[in-house]
Amino acid sequence: MMVSLSPEVRKRVEGLRHLQSQHDELEAQFIEEKKALEAKYQKLYQPLYTKRFEIVNGLEEVGGDVSTELAGIKEDQATEEKGVPGFWLAAMKTHEVLAAEIEGQDEGALKFINDIKWSRLQNPEGFKLEFYFNPNPYFKNSVLTKTYHVIGESDPILSQSIGTEIEWYPRKCLTRKVTVKKKPRMGSKIAKTITTINKCESFFTFFTPPRIHENEDGRDDDAYDELQDRMEQDYNVGVIIRDKTIPHAVSWFTGEATKDDEAEKEEERKEGAKKDDNEDHDEEKEGALKKEVEEKKEEKQSSDKKNGDQKNGDQKIELPPECRQQ
């Protein structure tokens, strides 16, 4: 492209490239300062998250002023429940995207979550989610993690996601369905046992993320596209937990966050509709302008033709001598 440009234009393009380099340097500086600012406030959030953990898990009671509604509850009406049972399960189920990932059989295990945390990663870039569980009858792990590695900071592209291998107790796995059948044998009193294991939908498949294999020989395009969609959905779930569930957990637990979320979506819909209307208006305006130009063009052609015919009509034609009247 540069070869086909004149020396003067190439010089101007070089000037533009220099400006772009300055812009890129400022953008890199902005990203670094943004990281530092985020790290600063993550530290400031920690005491609040610790306090939330203690209240949710019954390690500390809330003191100070309470609402009039709560003040009217007598001591003998109080229950023996500690903390806020099922806090994180309820907070996640209130978000429509996370609710779609949670199956009925998952709820018993998810009730044992006592905290969810996240942290920023460096080299490679990304973030890590940590789900802390109380001792439960489903699996041995006390912490399940999900790690996302991304390329780029301002517009991240997922490169890899890694989940914890869950150590399920016997016959407690929620991601597999085991079916055992007895099949009679010919001439024998001992039946043959047939065991089949099938995958089933579960939130806990979140910790076994989809991966694209490096060897793409004989790749099925439809299957590849489906895998890409699953990876995108998996990353979307992680971002929602990081940006919405963790920092605003109590608002999701009470349902207040859904109103804000719906208002935000409604605003986005309005902006989208406004943009579409503007585009339609521009198209109509452009169409009307084209029509006007075409009409003027046709009028001019008609006028030129008429003037030409009239000119030919007024023009005297000299007849050859043999055709003149004698």
Side-chain angles (χ1 to χ4, degrees):
M1 179 65 183
M2 290 285 288
V3 178
S4 62
L5 300 176
S6 65
E8 292 82 1
V9 175
R10 282 204 298 270
K11 184 178 179 181
R12 293 170 195 139
V13 172
E14 284 300 323
L16 293 174
R17 291 173 68 180
H18 179 66
L19 291 175
Q20 184 64 50
S21 297
Q22 291 179 312
H23 176 278
D24 293 344
E25 289 176 5
L26 289 173
E27 186 177 35
Q29 183 180 341
F30 164 72
I31 291 172
E32 290 302 315
E33 290 182 5
K34 180 183 175 183
K35 288 180 184 177
L37 189 63
E38 184 181 75
K40 171 187 174 181
Y41 277 89
Q42 280 297 327
K43 289 181 179 179
L44 295 175
Y45 293 149
Q46 287 312 309
L48 304 178
Y49 291 157
T50 300
K51 190 81 171 177
R52 179 177 69 185
F53 170 82
E54 293 171 348
I55 294 172
V56 166
N57 293 284
L59 302 177
E60 183 175 326
E61 288 297 337
V62 177
D65 297 333
V66 295
S67 67
T68 305
E69 181 182 355
L70 295 178
I73 299 176
K74 298 178 181 179
E75 291 185 8
D76 58 358
Q77 291 178 285
T79 66
E80 294 298 324
E81 288 181 322
K82 290 185 177 181
V84 185
F87 177 80
W88 287 102
L89 170 61
M92 289 195 295
K93 281 185 65 179
T94 307
H95 194 288
E96 61 179 357
V97 173
L98 301 185
E101 300 293 319
I102 298 173
E103 301 295 327
Q105 75 270 15
D106 297 329
E107 295 189 16
L110 293 175
K111 286 179 181 177
F112 286 92
I113 297 177
N114 62 54
D115 204 4
I116 306 177
K117 300 179 180 180
W118 82 275
S119 56
R120 179 76 64 186
L121 301 178
Q122 303 290 341
N123 299 321
E125 299 283 349
F127 65 94
K128 180 171 71 172
L129 298 172
E130 297 174 306
F131 296 75
Y132 292 81
F133 286 81
N134 290 323
N136 64 81
Y138 294 91
F139 46 80
K140 297 178 183 179
N141 314 65
S142 60
V143 184
L144 298 180
T145 65
K146 182 66 173 286
T147 303
Y148 293 96
H149 292 160
V150 300
I151 300 171
E153 188 67 27
S154 57
D155 189 15
I157 299 173
L158 178 65
S159 64
Q160 186 183 22
S161 56
I162 306 167
T164 300
E165 182 178 350
I166 304 176
E167 300 178 64
W168 298 100
Y169 287 121
R171 296 182 296 278
K172 291 294 184 178
C173 180
L174 298 173
T175 61
R176 296 285 189 275
K177 184 178 181 180
V178 180
T179 305
V180 179
K181 292 182 180 181
K182 298 285 186 178
K183 184 177 180 181
R185 293 182 177 181
M186 292 293 291
S188 175
K189 294 182 180 180
I190 302 175
K192 181 181 179 181
T193 302
I194 300 176
T195 303
T196 57
I197 301 175
N198 298 309
K199 293 181 180 180
C200 59
E201 296 294 328
S202 170
F203 174 80
F204 289 93
T205 58
F206 178 69
F207 299 100
T208 311
R211 292 186 181 182
I212 294 179
H213 300 289
E214 293 183 4
N215 185 7
E216 297 186 0
D217 293 340
R219 186 185 73 186
D220 185 325
D221 290 340
D222 291 338
Y224 181 80
D225 291 341
E226 182 181 348
L227 185 59
Q228 287 276 34
D229 291 341
R230 286 173 56 203
M231 291 181 66
E232 184 177 342
Q233 174 66 5
D234 176 77
Y235 182 69
N236 185 38
V237 168
V239 170
I240 288 171
I241 293 172
R242 182 193 70 183
D243 294 347
K244 292 183 178 290
T245 307
I246 293 175
H248 308 291
V250 70
S251 297
W252 289 104
F253 177 82
T254 61
E256 295 168 293
T258 57
K259 298 177 182 178
D260 296 335
D261 202 47
E262 289 172 1
E264 185 178 330
K265 289 180 179 178
E266 181 62 26
E267 189 65 28
E268 289 177 356
R269 280 195 292 268
K270 287 181 180 179
E271 287 296 325
K274 185 178 179 181
K275 183 179 178 181
D276 291 341
D277 289 343
N278 288 338
E279 289 177 353
D280 292 342
H281 179 69
D282 291 342
E283 288 178 2
E284 290 177 3
K285 189 175 180 181
E286 185 179 357
L289 184 61
K290 286 182 178 179
K291 185 178 180 181
E292 184 178 351
V293 171
E294 289 295 329
E295 288 176 352
K296 287 184 177 179
K297 185 177 179 182
E298 289 176 1
E299 288 177 4
K300 187 175 184 301
Q301 290 176 346
S302 177
S303 177
D304 291 344
K305 184 178 179 182
K306 184 177 180 180
N307 291 336
D309 292 343
Q310 184 177 0
K311 184 177 180 181
N312 291 334
D314 295 340
Q315 190 177 24
K316 293 182 179 180
I317 301 174
E318 186 72 22
L319 296 175
E322 61 272 16
C323 297
R324 295 175 186 171
Q325 292 181 355
Q326 299 295 328

